[in-house]
Amino acid sequence: MRRLQSNGGARLSLADEEYINQLYVRSRPAQAGLTRLVNPGGEALHVLTLNKEELEAGILDQLSQSFTTVAGMSIEDVLRERSGEMSHRARRQQIFQLATPSWSIDHTRLPDGGATLERLEILGVADEANTLFKEDMSRVSTHDPHRIIAYVMVAGAAPSALQQYDKYEKALAQLRGAFPLHVLPEFMTETNQGQLAFALGSIFQLILNEGAHFYYQPADELQERFRLGQGLANAVDYMNSHEPLTREILERVDSRIAQMGLQKAIETLSEYYSAVPEGKTKLDSIARELKRQVRAYTDELRQIREFSGEQQ
């Protein structure tokens, strides 16, 4: 309990003082014959021949035999015995209410308010094949007879949804000027992310154009859309210089793809980049670059599809 508390883990103990007293009263001997003790070799010893340490060890050994049953109790034995206070199903619910994910999410930063987050609950018991919690499909054996462990994981949120994300960004900005930072390639922000966000936002109708003007519609439909710029080049330049908006659009696109499925998304994106501009104007060059970004993004989705085994 002290170790869990020092690590910040939520905990609930059934070894409360009242229950410990009940076990003691139930198990303590009415009287103990200590006139003759037996050493580890089985030889009888007279108490008057023992020194202090030998006498102490002998008394503790003989008295502990009265509490052998208590020493052999498992956490599930206690749950059975105390089922009148609370059923094991209610205990399960109790510990999972205490268990919390290791991150704090700001749901207002999620495009869908967190509706697509996945929550995983796993129950750790001593022996998953012989347990009170057989109705729990997600359980594992811990081989620890004295604890039941509730593990909760919530997945699917972007890093920007973390409550501490703003502090992290600020600390990162301060360190960039003082220390070299090494980041895994998969997590590096590419300079063309703004172009990709613009292209994907247009495909999924998060970015709309009226005449020569391009507009972004926020996830909250009650918010007014705002103008990105007049003309394709200006709108793309605006995206390239506004990283928070780029992240927001990419996160919304991820959510859309999760809803529609990888195969449907790949088909939609493939249709976009398959129509190649034939001209050589500046607009044609920008359009070709946008399509290249979408093609590379679609290739990544294909790899994810193959890895996940989703049917084509």
Side-chain angles (χ1 to χ4, degrees):
M1 288 287 286
R2 287 193 294 269
R3 181 177 57 82
L4 285 173
Q5 187 173 13
S6 65
N7 292 336
R11 67 270 178 209
L12 178 68
S13 175
L14 295 181
D16 53 80
E17 184 176 356
E18 182 180 355
Y19 184 62
I20 292 296
N21 287 336
Q22 291 177 13
L23 293 177
Y24 174 75
V25 170
R26 181 199 308 170
S27 304
R28 69 183 179 185
Q31 61 181 5
L34 301 178
T35 304
R36 297 181 67 82
L37 300 177
V38 179
N39 67 12
E43 180 183 353
L45 300 174
H46 194 283
V47 294
L48 296 181
T49 66
L50 304 178
N51 61 33
K52 177 182 176 182
E53 288 74 19
E54 292 171 333
L55 181 61
E56 179 182 359
I59 291 175
L60 289 177
D61 178 67
Q62 184 160 329
L63 289 179
S64 67
Q65 297 175 20
S66 301
F67 300 96
T68 301
T69 301
V70 176
M73 293 179 70
S74 70
I75 180 67
E76 295 200 20
D77 291 331
V78 177
L79 288 176
R80 290 187 185 93
E81 184 169 289
R82 301 182 66 172
S83 61
E85 304 171 21
M86 184 181 295
S87 69
H88 71 275
R89 291 185 178 88
R91 292 286 188 189
R92 181 205 181 280
Q93 183 178 0
Q94 184 182 35
I95 60 175
F96 272 106
Q97 286 175 345
L98 287 175
T100 55
S102 59
W103 61 355
S104 299
I105 302 173
D106 184 348
H107 287 76
T108 62
R109 298 183 180 181
L110 298 172
D112 52 10
T116 59
L117 293 178
E118 293 290 339
R119 180 182 174 92
L120 175 66
E121 295 184 353
I122 299 178
L123 189 68
V125 295
D127 182 0
E128 61 93 14
N130 182 24
T131 177
L132 285 171
F133 302 93
K134 289 185 177 180
E135 70 274 11
D136 257 273
M137 298 304 295
S138 298
R139 64 182 190 274
V140 295
S141 297
T142 63
H143 308 291
D144 184 344
H146 301 132
R147 294 179 183 85
I148 291 175
I149 300 174
Y151 173 77
V152 175
M153 180 181 72
V154 175
S160 57
L162 297 177
Q163 290 187 356
Q164 299 297 321
Y165 188 76
D166 293 338
K167 291 183 179 179
Y168 168 76
E169 278 199 313
K170 183 177 180 181
L172 189 63
Q174 293 174 343
L175 289 174
R176 278 198 177 102
F179 302 98
L181 297 179
H182 301 278
V183 183
L184 294 175
E186 291 80 359
F187 294 93
M188 293 181 66
T189 301
E190 300 177 4
T191 56
N192 53 26
Q193 288 291 286
Q195 296 175 338
L196 176 61
F198 180 88
L200 294 176
S202 300
I203 295 171
F204 291 101
Q205 298 184 332
L206 308 179
I207 296 175
L208 307 171
N209 71 295
E210 293 182 1
H213 298 276
F214 290 83
Y215 298 87
Y216 171 65
Q217 176 61 57
D220 185 352
E221 296 182 355
L222 296 179
Q223 292 186 20
E224 294 288 340
R225 65 181 185 175
F226 60 87
R227 194 174 68 140
L228 302 178
Q230 181 177 1
L232 179 62
N234 290 330
V236 173
D237 286 343
Y238 181 91
M239 289 295 305
N240 285 331
S241 60
H242 289 76
E243 185 179 345
L245 179 58
T246 294
R247 289 200 307 267
E248 179 178 332
I249 292 177
L250 291 177
E251 289 170 9
R252 291 183 64 187
V253 168
D254 287 344
S255 179
R256 287 282 183 88
I257 291 175
Q259 293 173 1
M260 67 191 305
L262 286 174
Q263 182 57 32
K264 181 62 177 177
I266 289 172
E267 292 173 0
T268 301
L269 297 174
S270 299
E271 183 178 351
Y272 167 80
Y273 69 73
S274 296
V276 181
E278 298 180 355
K280 297 183 179 180
T281 66
K282 180 180 179 180
L283 290 181
D284 291 327
S285 298
I286 295 175
R288 278 193 290 271
E289 180 58 29
L290 294 177
K291 291 177 183 291
R292 278 194 290 268
Q293 298 298 332
V294 172
R295 183 177 61 187
Y297 179 82
T298 308
D299 289 339
E300 292 179 1
L301 292 185
R302 290 192 178 96
Q303 294 177 7
I304 295 173
R305 182 189 62 188
E306 293 174 3
F307 179 79
S308 62
E310 180 175 314
Q311 297 296 321
Q312 299 187 21

